[in-house]
Structure formats: C-alpha cells, structure tokens
Amino acid sequence: MQIAVLGIDLGKNSCSVVGLDGNGRVVLRRRLHREGVAKLAAELPGCVMAMEACCGAHHLGRRLRDQGHQVRLMSPEYVRPYVKAQKNDDRDAEAIAEAATRPTMRFVELKSETQLDMQSLHRARDRLVGERTALINQLRAFLLERGIIAPQGRRKLELHLETLLALEQVSLSQRTRLLIEDQQAEWRELDRRIEAFDEEFAREARTDDAARLLLTIPGIGPLNATALVAAIGKADTFGRGRDLAAWMGLAPRQMTTGGKPKLLGISKRGNRYLRKMLIHGARAALPTLSKGETSLGSWLRGLMTRAHVNTVVVALAAKLARIICAVLRTGKKFEMQAATVS
C-alpha cells in the first residue's frame, strides 16, 4: 500500500483519515484518535499530510513534520468545494486529501510554538479588553438609570466616578454605591492585567528581529508588530503585498461578470483581530503622515480631497499591509521617501 497523500479530518478526540495513492485512488480509510494518527504516520514512508488549518492542526503538523512528512495546511473554505454529496467525516478527509493535490491550492504556513504562544497572549488580552468595555458600558447604564450622564471617554468616566462617590448629596443608595465601588475594583484589576500584557508585548518587540523591523513603519507599535509576526512570520506564503492586504480583508470585494468589473466594499475576510489593529494604527498615524512632505503624505492628501476619512484610513491600512509584507520579506527597515517634484 503506497500512500502519496493522507487527508486528516481533525476532531477533538477522534479523527478520520483517508489515504490516496499516486493515481488519486482511495487506498485507506480509518477512524483514529489523535495519538493514533501520529502512530499511523510513523509507520508510513514520507508523504504529504494534509489537514485543515484549525485548532490543534499546527501542533499535530509539527509532530508529523518531525517524522519526515510534508505537512500541508489549508483553509476550510478552500476544502469545501471538494466535498462530494452529503457531508460526513470520511468525505471531509477525502476532500482534504484531494484538495492538497491541486497545483493552485493555497497553503497555510506551519506555525512554531513561539508564534502560537504569542497569538494566545493576544487573544487573552483581547478578551480582557472586551470584558473591560462591557463593564464600563454597564456602569454607564447604572448611572443613567439614576439620572447621571457620564462623560465620554474611559479616563473621564474614571475621574467622574471618583468625584461622584466623594459627594454626599448625590442621590445614590448605599447599595448602589457599594456596587459601583466593587465594579471600580474590578476595573482596576482589568487595567492591571491588560497593562501587564502590554509590557510583555513591548519587551518581545524589542528582542525580536522581525518585530523591530516592523516598528520602523508608521502606525505599527509593539502590539501590532508582535501580532503580525505571530500570525504571518516572514510573510513567505504571500507572493506580493496585495495578497497580504487581501488576506486581512482590506481589499475590495469583486462582483465581475460578462467582462464588467464591479468593486464593492472591503471583503472583511481573514483575521479580524489583525485587521482591527491595523486600522487603529492607520487612524492614529493618518494626521502625521498626511502633513509630511513625503510620497505617502502626498498620496494621502490627494485621497482625502475625494474620499471620506474612514475610507482613507482603510486605504492607508491596506497600504501599510503591503509595506509590512515588503519589510518582512526583504528584512530591511522601512524608510520614508521624499515626495517627487513634478
């Protein structure tokens, strides 16, 4: 039994595997536990191990790679068209194996343990930020129910609460005061934990070579730099900068038929967290960049005369994505070019 491609449909406990020979015929179908997949792969000569890029795929992929196999991870979106008839685990595994043989298939780079650790830290920080936002919104609602309108802004609300609780004539019951004080303590604890993550990201950005290169780009800080390096590494899987922008969902959607192209809004595909962080960075850098006598500043000023500021921010984020790809692939820091005089 000569297996050229082994398609693995991963599950939490059990996995379905389908083996194809050199002619694409199915020669193996099995249902195994995760450890059983590694044991089966150890008995096989070097071949292609295909999986969807899902939770646990990178860990298993590194084990299979260490056994001498060629690991190919794919987006589930690209595997779906190869599922025949009704969906089940065996047909999913067969579709994964067949999709991995296509010459035009796009594969996901296998992430290292360090990259996964950094991504986990970013996800934990993002969850804490969401909890803090929910807590602040709830505090505002409690105050509004009692006729107190809090000012906009996180720090302004924090100062307003301290002043409010210090006043005796404010119509707040004793129980409500205790509740707000308890939520203030929770708020301070969330701030402390988020700040600890930020300090860790800053230390990582100073020590990692790729992150230091990204810090030379306007709008890219330690948070963005570490998140980008953890997600895309050296950007070797992207042929050009526009591919990275499209992967982040910053490229326009297309509805082209009959040779008539029609561009819509941005696709918002891919990693939503990276897209959000890059747009925030672009919004922060826009005022400074648009005033500079550089080619990028000239482009931004021209764009701002004919488009809404939010459109300009997204366009700048897409431009930064292209710059990020070029910096990571070349290993050279970003240098701003002076504007050309026409």
Side-chain angles (χ1 to χ4, degrees):
M1 182 174 57
Q2 297 294 326
I3 295 179
V5 182
L6 189 70
I8 307 171
D9 182 47
L10 294 174
K12 292 182 179 179
N13 296 313
S14 60
C15 308
S16 293
V17 298
V18 170
L20 306 182
D21 62 10
N23 296 321
R25 292 176 298 186
V26 177
V27 296
L28 174 69
R29 291 185 189 271
R30 287 190 188 178
R31 186 100 174 154
L32 304 168
H33 289 283
R34 279 182 175 258
E35 287 298 323
V37 174
K39 292 179 181 178
L40 173 64
E43 300 172 357
L44 298 175
C47 61
V48 174
M49 296 286 173
M51 294 178 286
E52 291 179 333
C54 58
C55 187
H58 292 278
H59 172 74
L60 181 58
R62 288 195 302 272
R63 292 184 61 182
L64 299 178
R65 183 188 58 187
D66 294 340
Q67 293 177 354
H69 300 289
Q70 181 184 358
V71 179
R72 294 181 180 176
L73 302 183
M74 297 162 289
S75 170
E77 180 184 7
Y78 296 152
V79 175
R80 194 174 301 116
Y82 295 92
V83 178
K84 301 179 181 65
Q86 302 300 318
K87 180 186 183 303
N88 57 48
D89 292 341
D90 286 340
R91 285 174 179 162
D92 285 347
E94 184 179 342
I96 291 170
E98 184 175 349
T101 63
R102 307 310 304 161
T104 59
M105 180 56 61
R106 300 173 183 175
F107 300 106
V108 178
E109 184 180 2
L110 198 61
K111 289 182 174 59
S112 64
E113 188 71 26
T114 304
Q115 287 178 291
L116 293 179
D117 287 346
M118 189 55 58
Q119 282 192 319
S120 299
L121 293 177
H122 274 278
R123 290 182 179 127
R125 181 192 180 277
D126 193 42
R127 175 182 57 82
L128 292 177
V129 171
E131 291 178 4
R132 184 177 64 183
T133 301
L135 177 64
I136 291 173
N137 290 339
Q138 190 177 65
L139 270 170
R140 291 182 182 277
F142 288 163
L143 295 176
L144 188 60
E145 285 289 346
R146 287 149 183 85
I148 302 172
I149 301 175
Q152 292 294 322
R154 181 159 50 92
R155 290 309 171 194
K156 289 182 180 179
L157 174 62
E158 189 175 11
L159 295 175
H160 183 71
L161 285 176
E162 293 177 0
T163 305
L164 187 67
L165 294 177
L167 299 176
E168 295 295 336
Q169 64 270 24
V170 178
S171 58
L172 289 178
S173 66
Q174 185 63 27
R175 187 65 190 91
T176 301
R177 285 176 174 271
L178 292 175
L179 176 61
I180 292 177
E181 289 174 357
D182 180 69
Q183 289 184 314
Q184 278 185 303
E186 183 181 355
W187 186 353
R188 287 191 291 268
E189 176 62 18
L190 288 172
D191 280 343
R192 184 194 65 79
R193 295 175 66 184
I194 293 171
E195 185 178 354
F197 278 121
D198 291 341
E199 292 175 355
E200 185 172 357
F201 293 143
R203 289 194 301 269
E204 177 67 21
R206 289 193 297 267
T207 57
D208 187 83
D209 294 336
R212 282 206 305 268
L213 289 175
L214 294 182
L215 290 178
T216 62
I217 303 174
I220 303 298
L223 208 62
N224 277 345
T226 52
L228 286 164
V229 172
I232 64 178
K234 299 293 184 181
D236 293 331
T237 56
F238 302 98
R240 52 181 179 167
R242 191 185 184 283
D243 294 339
L244 177 58
W247 178 76
M248 288 186 180
L250 293 170
R253 291 187 294 125
Q254 296 187 35
M255 288 292 291
T256 301
T257 181
K260 297 180 180 179
K262 182 179 180 182
L263 296 182
L264 307 174
I266 59 173
S267 65
K268 296 185 180 180
R269 300 173 67 186
N271 194 318
R272 189 167 75 175
Y273 177 75
L274 284 181
R275 182 173 62 255
K276 176 186 70 174
M277 298 300 294
L278 201 58
I279 289 177
H280 285 336
R283 191 179 298 277
L286 178 61
T288 303
L289 291 177
S290 61
K291 297 175 183 177
E293 295 301 325
T294 61
S295 58
L296 186 57
S298 177
W299 173 74
L300 286 172
R301 286 192 294 272
L303 191 59
M304 292 173 71
T305 60
R306 61 183 190 271
H308 191 272
V309 64
N310 288 339
T311 304
V312 178
V313 168
V314 174
L316 177 57
K319 178 78 73 174
L320 292 179
R322 298 180 184 221
I323 296 174
I324 289 165
C325 186
V327 167
L328 289 176
R329 289 174 66 87
T330 61
K332 299 179 181 178
K333 66 179 182 178
F334 173 73
E335 295 180 358
M336 194 76 69
Q337 296 180 353
T340 57
V341 179
S342 57

